[in-house]
Structure formats: C-alpha cells, structure tokens
C-alpha cells in the first residue's frame, strides 16, 4: 500500500519516526515534506494534491494538534479526512466514511499510539453499502 505523509515543523519528529516504522512494515511511503514545512497548510496541500492524483493511496498529515491539517484537507473538494487520536476512530473513519486521509497531533499522541492509529487506518477497508449515501453526499460538498 502507498502512504502519503507530511508534516509541518511541529510534526516533523513524529513523521520521521512513523515513516521509518511504515517502511519497516513494507509500506511504500511518499514523503511530501522531506524538509519541514513552515506551516501545516503547505504540507497538507502537498498530501491532498498527491492523493487526488493517486486515489488508491492513503494519507497522513501531522501537525501539533491535528486540527489545522484537518481543516485544510477538508477544504479540498472531494477529500474526506478525519483528525483522530485513537485506533477505533481511525479504523471507523476508513470503514464507514471512506476517509482517504487522517491527521495526527504530535502534541496529542505519542509515537506508539500514532503507529497504532496509522496501522488501524491503513488496515481498514471501506465497507460501502448504507455508508455510500453519506460518502456521496460528502463528495458533492464544496
């Protein structure tokens, strides 16, 4: 699976650690912030731009609290994203909402929790069915 990841200055340490763990687990990782982005807007837009070109990929944006990256991601037409701080929410946003991206707060989650959240998100599959009505509504917004 191809994972697109990026961070601002505040999320860089967690991003680098998480990237290493994902590579060890065999994921293909596209890093959109080799150099730290000064703000979450630039790093998040780089991720969403890539995800629009590669809809089979999933994305992770990291900033200090996760909320800023979430706001940016959801401004992009057709992008379904969630800011999460636990494994169950990460799994469910993928399974029920077909989220293509999650955002993490480096000041909210530690390294191990960030990894567990990421693995839950990447391991989930969209279940479709009754959830497709909501996903269609989300995709028409903006």
């Amino acid at each position: 699976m191809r994972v697109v990841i990026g961070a601002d200055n505040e999320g860089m340490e967690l991003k680098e650690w998480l990237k290493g763990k994902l590579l060890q687990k065999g994921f293909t990782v596209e890093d959109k912030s080799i150099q730290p982005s000064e703000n979450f807007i630039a790093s998040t837009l780089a991720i969403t731009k890539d995800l629009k070109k590669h809809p089979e990929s999933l994305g992770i944006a990291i900033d200090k609290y996760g909320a800023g990256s979430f706001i940016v991601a959801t401004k992009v037409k057709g992008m379904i994203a969630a800011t999460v701080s636990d494994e169950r929410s990460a799994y469910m946003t993928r399974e029920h909402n077909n989220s293509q991206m999650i955002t993490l707060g480096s000041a909210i989650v530690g390294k191990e929790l960030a990894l567990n959240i990421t693995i839950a998100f990447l391991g989930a599959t969209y279940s479709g069915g009754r959830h497709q009505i909501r996903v269609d509504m989300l995709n028409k917004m903006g």
Side-chain angles (χ1 to χ4, degrees):
M1 172 176 287
R2 183 173 181 273
V3 180
V4 185
I5 194 167
D8 67 359
N9 287 323
E10 297 289 338
M12 197 67 170
E13 181 182 339
L14 180 57
K15 182 213 59 148
E16 286 297 319
W17 185 86
L18 192 56
K19 175 182 163 182
K21 293 295 185 183
L22 290 173
L23 289 170
Q24 287 176 358
K25 292 183 177 293
F27 290 95
T28 301
V29 179
E30 177 68 30
D31 189 344
K32 291 303 188 180
S33 54
I34 301 296
Q35 298 297 319
S37 175
E38 289 189 31
N39 64 67
F40 55 80
I41 295 172
S43 56
T44 305
L45 286 176
I47 297 165
T48 60
K49 190 175 192 180
D50 186 291
L51 292 175
K52 296 298 265 182
K53 290 181 184 174
H54 303 278
E56 73 288 349
S57 299
L58 296 176
I60 304 163
I62 306 168
D63 63 36
K64 190 168 186 175
Y65 300 109
S69 295
F70 166 76
I71 292 166
V72 173
T74 58
K75 294 282 186 184
V76 176
K77 185 169 177 55
M79 183 57 55
I80 300 175
T83 186
V84 295
S85 56
D86 67 275
E87 300 94 327
R88 184 70 176 156
S89 296
Y91 183 87
M92 294 306 291
T93 196
R94 181 82 186 117
E95 184 180 61
H96 285 192
N97 301 321
N98 201 22
S99 291
Q100 192 177 10
M101 181 176 178
I102 57 171
T103 67
L104 301 172
S106 62
I108 305 295
V109 299
K111 291 178 178 177
E112 292 298 329
L113 180 54
L115 178 60
N116 292 343
I117 288 168
T118 299
I119 296 304
F121 177 66
L122 300 177
T125 56
Y126 176 53
S127 64
R130 65 184 175 90
H131 305 292
Q132 189 60 47
I133 295 167
R134 177 177 48 240
V135 170
D136 289 342
M137 291 169 73
L138 289 169
N139 284 327
K140 288 180 185 174
M141 294 176 72

